[in-house]
């Protein structure tokens, strides 16, 4: 059968099979009575995210916007690694001096593979499942960037964190062309259901949570009510 | 379990190729497995762990039933409007730089994929775990054409190197234990000193596959979801082998059943919440990828989707069976099934084992093969209870049993089959009150010698032994209700 022939015959079979189902619920009226928005205050949502990430053996620390550059330099130094790759449009202040930086102007897979780690921003994070969402913009990097290096440092702003998955979709607007949902480092349980971290993706996921939510209410920050994170 | 540590280990208990056309009937295929204590221990261990994790995470989700209802409704909406959604997907995927192919059956899908790989001059292709490619027996066809498929999922790699077959939809090598994996890897990767802890075994797989990821120019994937609204494809995975295959090669070929489509990107807010919890007992799997056609400078620059019918449109046409196509392949029904938990997946003679396989495989075969599978169930309903898209599997099983029976009783070879003969006799007797009373009296006389004092028949001779070999039979009571009633009326003053 020719290529168009198969297309026509499959669609014809489908149409005849579903001819009697015209009177069914339209898409817009489908039942969606599940939880859409979270109910917890910001501090609790951020605490939940931290807890979930640590369950996945991901590492999370937080800092104020003013301290971010120093915090990044500190994390990079603590990793014991030296050669890092970054997407094209990260703020210059993030690229801490004293390390080898490769900026991804069409780097080859081999060049990226030779880096010890990668530094990126993120699009959003979902506290309920400890998920970081990348839309692969010019601050989040091409997909290969967060795949080949073994160590990933991801900068997340507190105002990017939502409690539930449906909240992310509400914020998302026009559907992105590329998305990666990351929930902890690469893992497998294929051998006797024993969870092993780091199969093919990065083995180490580190997150810096920038408390940009506290900018307008510095008083609370000074009071230290969120410091338990 | 350590007894299995040395020497050559058979992890396979049935026909090496999971082909419903050639498979033995389920009871015959299951018999040797029931004697394989090692395999049954491995399967029980894995399914116990997944079930416990799933139960805990479902428990914490207060809107679980609302999510199930929404998921079932979305999938039903897809099936009712499948033609429109597929055309929408096709238009958007092509607009984004992808190519869309349609395959009526397994043979056509294999030919399309082989032609695409020949255009690439590929001698090797890396693969993400795809049950659909096993459904169309793709790997043997690739090998025959001189193209070596490299399975990159850890479980699939274990099976490929061990010359074995998947026994579970989500954890395909759950019937193999660490000692068996060590033996396979040590032999096939040339690592005689490999340790048998899962950490070392996983590291060996990582090293083994790394160079393949960076050098092989073409990849084959399945699809968890196709998005009609955008023409995007989504893959849900844990290890990162999926991301490697979706990102590094020059060319990507995605093989997807026509039922895999979702109306909108946003529908993932339901599907991603139920899938990982049901499949692996995680709130979210480590990696979910979504891509749209070809994205300049990011990932494969040639992208093909092969939409596979292979019997699905005929399932769509049947009102009771249509719900089979809601399935999102989470395998929760396999883990919950008391039959699967005893036999593992190979006995089902298809890549789709367990309750979903028992309804899907016979339908994909148009009931010409795998007729024994609808009977591979106790109808206990555990599968329906855990199904995140609410497929009433027992209902479909019973419908398929009725169809199998209707086919069989019309076959000339079954005219003197004791069961169908008995049914025809019963049909005649039950149609006439006089014959029925006569049969009751004769039956009482005939069965009296076999009825024990406890009122039960424990063994019958000849044909009757086929029943009593595995079940007891209630003896006929000394008096029927009608007899009792007429005596009572006469005795009334």
């Amino acid at each position: 059968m020719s290529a168009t022939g198969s297309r026509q015959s499959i669609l014809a079979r489908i149409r005849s099979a579903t001819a009697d189902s015209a009177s069914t619920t339209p898409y817009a009226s489908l039942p969606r009575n599940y939880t859409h928005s979270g109910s917890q205050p910001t501090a609790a949502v951020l605490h939940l995210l931290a807890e979930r990430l640590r369950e996945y053996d991901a590492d999370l620390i937080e800092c104020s916007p003013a301290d971010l550059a120093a915090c990044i330099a500190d994390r990079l130094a603590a990793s014991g690694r030296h050669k890092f790759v970054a997407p094209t449009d990260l703020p210059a202040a993030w690229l801490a001096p004293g390390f080898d930086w490769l900026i991804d102007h069409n780097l080859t897979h081999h060049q990226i593979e030779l880096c010890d780690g990668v530094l990126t921003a993120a699009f959003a994070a979902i506290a309920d499942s400890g998920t970081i969402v990348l839309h692969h913009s010019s601050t989040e990097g091409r997909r290969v960037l967060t795949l080949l290096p073994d160590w990933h440092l991801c900068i997340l702003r507190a105002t990017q964190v939502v409690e539930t998955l449906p909240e992310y979709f509400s914020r998302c607007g026009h559907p992105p062309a590329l998305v990666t949902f990351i929930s902890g480092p690469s893992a497998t349980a294929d051998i006797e259901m024993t969870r092993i971290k780091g199969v093919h993706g990065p083995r180490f996921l580190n997150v810096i949570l920038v408390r940009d939510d506290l900018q307008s209410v510095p008083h609370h920050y000074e009071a230290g009510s969120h410091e338990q994170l | 379990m350590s007894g299995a540590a040395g020497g050559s280990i058979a992890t396979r208990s049935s026909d090496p190729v999971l082909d419903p056309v050639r498979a033995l009937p389920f009871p015959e295929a299951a018999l040797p497995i029931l004697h394989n204590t090692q395999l049954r221990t491995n399967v029980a261990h894995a399914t116990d762990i997944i079930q416990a994790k799933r139960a805990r995470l479902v428990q914490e989700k207060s809107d679980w039933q609302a999510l199930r209802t929404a998921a079932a409704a979305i999938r039903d909406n897809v099936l009712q409007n499948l033609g429109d959604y597929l055309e929408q997907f096709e238009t958007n995927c092509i607009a984004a730089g992808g190519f869309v192919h349609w395959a009526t059956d397994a043979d056509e899908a294999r030919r399309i994929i082989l032609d695409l790989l020949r255009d690439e001059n590929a001698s090797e292709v890396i693969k993400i775990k795809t049950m659909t490619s096993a459904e169309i027996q793709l790997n043997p066809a690739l090998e025959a054409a001189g193209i070596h498929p490299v399975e990159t999922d850890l479980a699939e790699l274990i099976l490929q190197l061990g010359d074995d077959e998947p026994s579970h939809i989500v954890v395909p090598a759950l019937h193999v234990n660490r000692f068996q994996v060590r033996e396979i890897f040590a032999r096939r990767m040339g690592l005689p000193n490999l340790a048998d802890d899962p950490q070392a075994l996983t590291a060996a797989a990582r090293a083994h596959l790394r160079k393949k990821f960076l050098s092989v120019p073409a990849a084959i994937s399945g699809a968890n979801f196709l998005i009609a609204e955008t023409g995007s494809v989504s893959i849900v995975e844990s290890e990162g082998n999926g991301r490697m295959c979706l990102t590094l090669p020059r060319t990507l070929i995605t093989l997807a059943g026509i039922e895999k489509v979702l109306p909108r990107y946003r529908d993932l807010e339901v599907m991603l919440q139920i899938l990982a919890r049901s499949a692996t007992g995680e709130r979210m799997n480590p990696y979910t990828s979504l891509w749209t056609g070809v994205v300049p400078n990011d990932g494969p620059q040639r992208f093909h989707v092969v939409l596979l019918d292979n019997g699905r449109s005929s399932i769509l046409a049947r009102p009771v069976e249509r719900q089979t196509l809601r399935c999102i392949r989470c395998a929760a029904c396999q883990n919950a099934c008391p039959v699967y938990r005893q036999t593992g997946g190979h006995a089902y003679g298809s890549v789709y084992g367990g309750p979903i396989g028992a309804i899907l495989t016979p339908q994909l075969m148009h009931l010409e093969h795998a007729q024994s599978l609808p009977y591979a169930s106790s109808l206990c309903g555990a599968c329906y209870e855990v199904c995140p898209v609410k497929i009433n599997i027992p209902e479909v099983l019973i419908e398929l049993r009725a169809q199998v029976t209707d086919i069989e009783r019309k076959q000339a070879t079954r005219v003197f089959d004791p069961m169908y003969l008995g049914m025809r006799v019963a049909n005649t007797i039950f149609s006439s009150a006089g014959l029925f009373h006569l049969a009751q009296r004769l039956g009482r006389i005939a069965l009296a010698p076999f009825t024990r004092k406890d009122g039960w028949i424990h063994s019958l001779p000849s044909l009757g032994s086929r029943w009593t070999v595995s079940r007891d039979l209630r003896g006929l009571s000394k008096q029927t209700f009608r007899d009792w009633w007429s005596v009572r009326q006469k005795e009334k003053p």
Side-chain angles (χ1 to χ4, degrees), chain A residues 6-7 27 34 106 168 186, chain B residues 90 108 265 267 269 297:
Chain A
S6 295
R7 181 184 184 279
Y27 179 81
Y34 48 89
N106 288 323
Y168 153 74
S186 141
Chain B
E90 181 189 40
E108 190 174 14
Y265 177 55
D267 293 318
E269 75 184 18
N297 213 11

Side-chain angles (χ1 to χ4, degrees), chain B residues 253-299:
Chain B
I253 303 169
T254 294
L255 172 67
I258 50 172
E259 83 284 14
K260 288 293 176 85
V261 69
L262 289 177
R264 304 189 58 188
Y265 177 55
R266 215 194 153 127
D267 293 318
L268 289 175
E269 75 184 18
V270 177
M271 298 302 161
L272 294 181
Q273 289 202 72
I274 55 171
L275 180 51
R277 282 181 170 84
S278 299
T280 50
E282 295 171 294
R283 293 188 185 88
M284 190 84 109
N285 50 291
Y287 297 132
T288 297
S289 296
L290 178 136
W291 70 98
T292 313
V294 171
V295 178
N297 213 11
D298 191 333

Side-chain angles (χ1 to χ4, degrees), chain A residues 1-3 6-7 9-11 13-15 17-18 20-21 24-27 30-36 52 55-56 106 109-110 113 126 128-129 131 134-136 141-144 146-150 165-166 168-170 172 175-203, chain B residues 45-46 49-50 61 63 66-67 70 73-74 77 79-80 82-87 90 102-104 108 152-155 171 177-178 198-199 201-202 206 209-210 213-214 229-230 238-241 243-244 246-248 258 263-270 272-273 277 282-292 295 297-299 309 313 316-317 322:
Chain A
M1 193 177 285
S2 76
S6 295
R7 181 184 184 279
S9 74
I10 292 170
L11 282 170
R13 278 204 301 274
I14 292 172
R15 292 253 146 75
T18 54
D20 61 337
S21 51
T24 47
T25 320
Y27 179 81
L30 295 179
R32 291 180 186 268
N33 300 322
Y34 48 89
T35 308
H36 290 259
R52 293 284 189 253
E55 277 173 31
Y56 293 133
N106 288 323
H109 295 163
H110 184 66
E113 161 91 348
I126 300 141
D128 178 50
S129 55
T131 303
L134 302 179
H135 283 186
H136 302 285
R142 295 190 294 154
R143 288 178 290 171
V144 63
T146 42
L147 181 60
L148 291 178
D150 206 19
L165 186 65
Y168 153 74
F169 281 94
S170 297
C172 195
L178 290 174
V179 192
T180 306
F181 295 86
I182 300 173
S183 307
S186 141
T188 184
D190 275 344
I191 302 173
E192 294 186 9
M193 306 312 294
T194 307
R195 188 181 164 94
I196 303 295
K197 196 171 81 161
V199 193
H200 301 296
R203 276 182 281 197
Chain B
H45 172 74
I49 289 180
I50 309 177
K61 200 93 187 101
D63 58 346
L67 283 166
I74 292 169
N77 178 273
L79 298 175
Q80 283 151 10
L82 189 59
D84 294 348
Y85 286 135
L86 283 171
E87 284 190 302
E90 181 189 40
W102 301 71
T104 308
E108 190 174 14
T152 64
D153 173 75
L154 178 56
V171 200
N177 69 24
R178 67 178 72 183
Q199 187 85 52
L201 296 169
T202 305
R206 179 182 169 107
L209 288 172
R210 197 77 175 189
F213 287 134
L214 288 161
E229 177 191 19
T230 56
S238 293
E239 297 174 9
N241 65 307
R243 293 180 67 194
M244 293 279 181
L246 301 175
T247 309
L248 300 177
I258 50 172
R264 304 189 58 188
Y265 177 55
R266 215 194 153 127
D267 293 318
L268 289 175
E269 75 184 18
V270 177
L272 294 181
Q273 289 202 72
R277 282 181 170 84
E282 295 171 294
R283 293 188 185 88
M284 190 84 109
N285 50 291
Y287 297 132
T288 297
S289 296
L290 178 136
W291 70 98
T292 313
V295 178
N297 213 11
D298 191 333
D309 183 340
S313 55
L316 193 65
R322 179 185 286 180

Side-chain angles (χ1 to χ4, degrees), chain A residues 52-225:
Chain A
R52 293 284 189 253
L53 286 172
R54 284 178 188 138
E55 277 173 31
Y56 293 133
D57 303 319
D59 190 49
L60 179 136
I61 61 160
E62 59 174 271
C63 75
S64 69
D67 297 337
L68 178 58
C71 189
I72 292 172
D74 190 50
R75 300 312 295 163
L76 296 176
S79 76
R81 293 156 198 264
H82 201 73
K83 188 173 179 183
F84 297 96
V85 63
T88 49
D89 289 344
L90 285 188
W94 291 15
L95 308 178
F99 299 94
D100 285 350
W101 287 102
L102 250 66
I103 308 303
D104 181 30
H105 295 292
N106 288 323
L107 296 173
T108 64
H109 295 163
H110 184 66
Q111 286 172 306
I112 297 167
E113 161 91 348
L114 290 177
C115 292
D116 302 325
V118 57
L119 171 68
T120 71
F123 177 82
I126 300 141
D128 178 50
S129 55
T131 303
I132 289 167
V133 189
L134 302 179
H135 283 186
H136 302 285
S137 69
S138 58
T139 57
E140 297 156 56
R142 295 190 294 154
R143 288 178 290 171
V144 63
L145 227 55
T146 42
L147 181 60
L148 291 178
D150 206 19
W151 189 90
H152 179 195
L153 178 58
C154 183
I155 312 301
L156 187 66
R157 287 181 283 110
T159 49
Q160 293 177 309
V161 180
V162 295
E163 186 178 337
T164 68
L165 186 65
E167 280 175 281
Y168 153 74
F169 281 94
S170 297
R171 278 195 183 196
C172 195
H174 189 72
L178 290 174
V179 192
T180 306
F181 295 86
I182 300 173
S183 307
S186 141
T188 184
D190 275 344
I191 302 173
E192 294 186 9
M193 306 312 294
T194 307
R195 188 181 164 94
I196 303 295
K197 196 171 81 161
V199 193
H200 301 296
R203 276 182 281 197
F204 306 94
L205 174 64
N206 301 268
V207 177
I208 295 177
L209 183 66
V210 186
R211 293 302 299 266
D212 62 339
D213 58 319
L214 301 175
Q215 289 280 292
S216 54
V217 280
H219 177 73
H220 287 269
Y221 188 53
E222 283 161 16
S225 60

Side-chain angles (χ1 to χ4, degrees), chain B residues 88-320:
Chain B
Q88 205 187 337
F89 170 81
E90 181 189 40
T91 305
N92 290 325
C93 181
I94 292 172
F99 293 91
V100 178
H101 311 260
W102 301 71
T104 308
D105 53 24
D107 185 53
E108 190 174 14
R110 287 192 300 259
R111 260 189 292 121
I112 292 169
I113 293 171
L114 283 176
D115 285 348
L116 291 172
L117 290 172
R118 285 198 189 103
D119 288 348
E120 293 292 321
N121 293 317
S123 59
E124 267 188 319
V125 61
I126 46 178
K127 287 184 72 199
I128 311 179
K129 176 168 84 89
T130 143
M131 294 293 120
T132 316
S133 90
E135 174 191 325
I136 67 164
Q137 307 280 338
L138 182 60
N139 283 4
L142 291 172
E143 294 279 14
I147 301 167
H148 178 58
V150 181
E151 295 289 353
T152 64
D153 173 75
L154 178 56
E156 290 285 356
L157 179 70
I158 293 167
L159 298 177
Q160 188 176 36
L161 296 181
D163 196 22
D164 200 346
E165 291 284 327
S167 74
H168 189 276
I169 297 172
V170 171
V171 200
L174 92 174
H175 61 287
V176 186
N177 69 24
R178 67 178 72 183
F179 309 107
Q180 297 165 321
V181 176
R182 195 214 83 90
E183 190 275 327
I184 292 164
F185 280 10
R187 182 162 45 86
R188 297 296 303 271
M189 295 179 185
L191 303 167
N193 300 319
L194 187 63
D196 60 17
D197 64 289
Q199 187 85 52
L201 296 169
T202 305
R206 179 182 169 107
H208 178 78
L209 288 172
R210 197 77 175 189
K211 23 186 196 304
K212 295 288 181 195
F213 287 134
L214 288 161
S215 63
V216 177
I220 293 173
S221 83
N224 287 96
F225 305 105
L226 311 173
I227 313 292
E229 177 191 19
T230 56
S232 313
V233 184
S234 181
I235 286 279
V236 172
E237 53 136 354
S238 293
E239 297 174 9
N241 65 307
R243 293 180 67 194
M244 293 279 181
C245 293
L246 301 175
T247 309
L248 300 177
R250 190 171 65 208
T251 299
L252 172 64
I253 303 169
T254 294
L255 172 67
I258 50 172
E259 83 284 14
K260 288 293 176 85
V261 69
L262 289 177
R264 304 189 58 188
Y265 177 55
R266 215 194 153 127
D267 293 318
L268 289 175
E269 75 184 18
V270 177
M271 298 302 161
L272 294 181
Q273 289 202 72
I274 55 171
L275 180 51
R277 282 181 170 84
S278 299
T280 50
E282 295 171 294
R283 293 188 185 88
M284 190 84 109
N285 50 291
Y287 297 132
T288 297
S289 296
L290 178 136
W291 70 98
T292 313
V294 171
V295 178
N297 213 11
D298 191 333
Q301 296 299 295
R302 261 167 278 176
F303 173 53
H304 300 268
V305 179
V306 181
L307 296 171
L308 176 71
D309 183 340
N310 203 28
R312 287 161 174 79
S313 55
S314 58
I315 302 177
L316 193 65
R318 309 189 70 99
V320 175

